[in-house]
Amino acid sequence: MFTNILVAIDLNDPMSREKALPQAVELAKASGGTLHLLTIVPDMGMPLVETFFPANYEEHALQAAKEKLDALARETLPEGLPHQQHVMLGQITSHIVEAAEKTGADLIVMASHDPDLAQNFLIGGHAGKVVRRSPVSVLVVRS
């Protein structure tokens, strides 16, 4: 069924942990596949914005995200489930698609909020962007 399942985890959004991750775990167990947990620390976008943050902010943010993702894996994944953790810095949609390609994922699992038409019209949702750009199937888990 699925050999490598990439699950995008927003460490600040309980839906990722409570809705998308359990779905990905069940699919990985059923297929005997490997689960790839991915979290992305957004970059600052513009050099001007970077001046408002302390030195080494990105390094500290990446380390904190890695520690949280490690703890999440220890606390929630069943014993013996093959998994790997990945932490990236930058643009969320691009890195999800890039990670799917690098890990050889044949499925991406991610959570999505109920659609907010105004927000989606202005900036678009990450899940929708991933669905449009992904070379593999995407399971979008709604709340």
Side-chain angles (χ1 to χ4, degrees), residues 5-9 16 20-21 24 35-39 107-110:
I5 300 170
L6 177 70
V7 58
I9 302 288
S16 288
L21 183 56
L35 191 62
H36 294 270
L37 294 111
L38 168 69
T39 194
L107 178 69
I108 298 171
V109 178
M110 60 188 303

Side-chain angles (χ1 to χ4, degrees), residues 9 11 17 21 25 35 37 65-81 83-86:
I9 302 288
L11 294 169
R17 297 183 305 274
L21 183 56
V25 166
L35 191 62
L37 294 111
K66 182 185 179 321
E67 290 169 5
K68 287 181 183 178
L69 194 60
D70 289 345
L72 178 66
R74 277 192 312 276
E75 295 166 6
T76 62
L77 297 183
E79 188 74 30
L81 180 69
H83 68 280
Q84 295 178 11
Q85 286 111 250
H86 310 272

Side-chain angles (χ1 to χ4, degrees), residues 15-64:
M15 256 187 60
S16 288
R17 297 183 305 274
E18 297 167 6
K19 301 285 186 174
L21 183 56
Q23 292 288 324
V25 166
E26 288 306 313
L27 288 166
K29 285 179 9 185
S31 65
T34 300
L35 191 62
H36 294 270
L37 294 111
L38 168 69
T39 194
I40 300 166
V41 176
D43 63 5
M44 298 184 240
M46 297 186 321
L48 175 65
V49 175
E50 192 173 312
T51 62
F52 291 98
F53 287 87
N56 300 325
Y57 163 77
E58 291 175 346
E59 292 171 24
H60 293 287
L62 285 168
Q63 184 60 37

